Amino acid sequence: MFHFLQIGGSAESFAIAREVSALEGVRLTTSFAGRTQRRRAIKGAERVGSFGGTEGLIAYCLHNGVHGLIDATHPFAARMKANAHACAQRLDLPLFALARPPWMPEKGDQWTQVASSQEAADILPKSSKPVLLAMGRQEIAPFAKRHDLRLVIRLIEEVTPFPHPNHEILVARGPFALEAEQALFARYGFGALVCKNSGGDFARAKLLAARRLRVPVLMLERPKPPKGPVYTSVASLVEQVSALCRAEGQERACVP
Ligand code: NAP
């Protein structure tokens, strides 16, 4: 059996697991950081929790007989991507990395691209209208000091109290339909949206709602991914994984 370790976290990692675990002669384990309490079920085996840096990941791969890596982390999971890349190099393992294309501004969009959530919090103008933060709980801390803003923070899970005097937390999990996003924007009358450039369709509707309702967007740029080939779709990644497995299968069949 060819044992793949998928570093999961992105929405696509579930589709990849479905496809790869169905391949003949393949065993798949998907790893999650464990930040989400209520995770969807995934095909194949799963393990949860940090590895302990690159060295920990290497030790895990050696101990568990991993033959190949799939990087299906979220586009903002820069450290984990770097660790997977370094591990593949050190152990000379094949690495299949998914890189979902980023969103690009279109006609009617009012985007300001920012390098970090700190920069977003620093430059967001004072406004009487509420601001929608749709960027994950790891990025919201810099907004705690913006007492001059009313914050509406959308998260997939409730967080421990957020130290801000005028905020509301909306617990909701995507994907969100455009109609629902527009209704949300209209109900609150948002003055700005702050989000990450995650790309993909899963979380795109908020951008369309912002465009239609002329709401300015502060868009967090992605961290630079490690150098190396990437696949921009699940289908192209799975095709290459499958090709490798077929080649490995034939090679084994030829050994007398
Ligand atoms: P990160 O900064 O790349 O990861 C930090 C550490 O968490 C890694 O070094 C690793 O610890 C551990 N880790 C991350 N993903 C893991 C996985 N799949 N399996 C095992 N360990 C994992 O990424 P992050 O802290 O998760 O998130 C950074 C940004 O990405 C945030 O903006 C977050 O909202 C966004 N994001 C991440 C995920 C995700 O599933 N990771 C999903 C959605 C959004 P060790 O080095 O100790 O092994």
Side-chain angles (χ1 to χ4, degrees), residues 8-9 31 35 49-53 74 77-80 83 138-139 196:
S31 172
R35 306 200 205 292
S50 300
F51 292 100
H74 187 271
R79 265 203 289 155
M80 194 62 240
N83 293 352
Q138 291 188 60
E139 314 284 352
K196 291 188 288 212

